[in-house]
Amino acid sequence: MINHITHAGVLHVDDVVHADNRRNLLISILDFNSPHDRPDFSKFEDVLALSFKDRCEEDYGHDYYWPDQPTANFNYSLLRMANENVFSLADAVKIVDFVERWIKDPNEFNLIVHCKSGVGRSAAIAEFFGIIHNIPFSGTDPRGRFMPNCRVSRLLTKAYHNKYNHASNGSNTESVQQLDLSKRCYITS
């Protein structure tokens, strides 16, 4: 089970790794072209590494539609960078599958989610699973910034709902249906 979630900037991950390194899980998020190195994965029981930009539709105007599964051409036309992409439904499914697998584990783990600054992409993931599973979550930003990326929140909600829509296994689908993080708009940079 996951008993705490911390969202952190990539440079602060080592500060939150607990003494028992085998009790930590990591979701590592950086831009493909990030100048930062990822943390040392050997410090974690399991790691999910993803690459996507901290962008959402609200950054470009509220009426601008992005597909849930953007193509390479779409990503390039939006970001003007080769190999970079925005968060996709496929990314959300990977995150939901990763977290749900460890939620069901009988051992206790701390989940650390990092992105570049720890306030947008990682905050959205920490907030989502913290609320859905009633897990305490906190951040490491020294200025206390918390600006969850709306696209990440919306697609996590969709992936979680799709996974458990017809399940009767005691999942927390009612909380997901009542939790509408996708309408909360934060402009991220």
Side-chain angles (χ1 to χ4, degrees):
M1 85 182 76
I2 296 173
N3 58 12
H4 189 268
I5 304 170
T6 303
H7 56 95
V10 65
L11 300 178
H12 297 285
V13 170
D14 285 340
D15 298 340
V16 295
V17 171
H18 296 85
D20 179 3
N21 292 336
R22 304 318 272 154
R23 298 313 231 183
N24 291 295
L25 307 168
L26 178 68
I27 298 177
S28 175
I29 303 164
L30 287 174
D31 302 352
F32 183 80
N33 294 314
S34 175
H36 299 289
D37 290 330
R38 292 188 188 265
D40 178 1
F41 289 170
S42 69
K43 295 180 179 181
F44 300 92
E45 182 77 18
D46 198 4
V47 175
L48 174 63
L50 298 168
S51 296
F52 58 90
K53 296 288 278 182
D54 190 13
R55 298 287 184 270
C56 60
E57 291 89 340
E58 287 78 10
D59 293 341
Y60 297 85
H62 293 285
D63 297 327
Y64 193 67
Y65 170 77
W66 293 3
D68 289 347
Q69 195 58 49
T71 64
N73 287 339
F74 176 87
N75 282 313
Y76 185 79
S77 70
L78 182 72
L79 302 171
R80 300 288 183 216
M81 301 168 121
N83 301 319
E84 289 287 10
N85 25 299
V86 297
F87 189 68
S88 69
L89 185 57
D91 294 326
V93 168
K94 289 175 188 175
I95 293 169
V96 167
D97 289 346
F98 180 84
V99 172
E100 291 302 305
R101 178 167 41 93
W102 289 105
I103 288 283
K104 295 173 186 171
D105 192 286
N107 298 300
E108 292 186 3
F109 295 94
N110 300 301
L111 174 61
I112 300 168
V113 186
H114 90 76
C115 56
K116 180 182 175 188
S117 299
V119 298
R121 294 166 285 186
S122 62
I125 295 165
E127 177 186 48
F128 180 81
F129 288 103
I131 291 172
I132 293 305
H133 291 294
N134 197 25
I135 301 169
F137 63 95
S138 60
T140 63
D141 184 70
R143 294 184 291 177
R145 294 176 301 162
F146 181 77
M147 301 177 297
N149 180 301
C150 293
R151 181 171 178 82
V152 172
S153 297
R154 179 177 67 80
L155 291 177
L156 283 173
T157 302
K158 188 171 190 174
Y160 191 92
H161 182 71
N162 288 348
K163 181 177 182 86
Y164 293 112
N165 190 30
H166 300 290
S168 58
N169 60 2
S171 65
N172 210 352
T173 56
E174 289 179 12
S175 294
V176 172
Q177 291 166 350
Q178 293 171 2
L179 178 67
D180 194 0
L181 298 174
S182 64
K183 295 204 186 290
R184 182 204 0 77
C185 294
Y186 290 90
I187 304 302
T188 59
S189 56

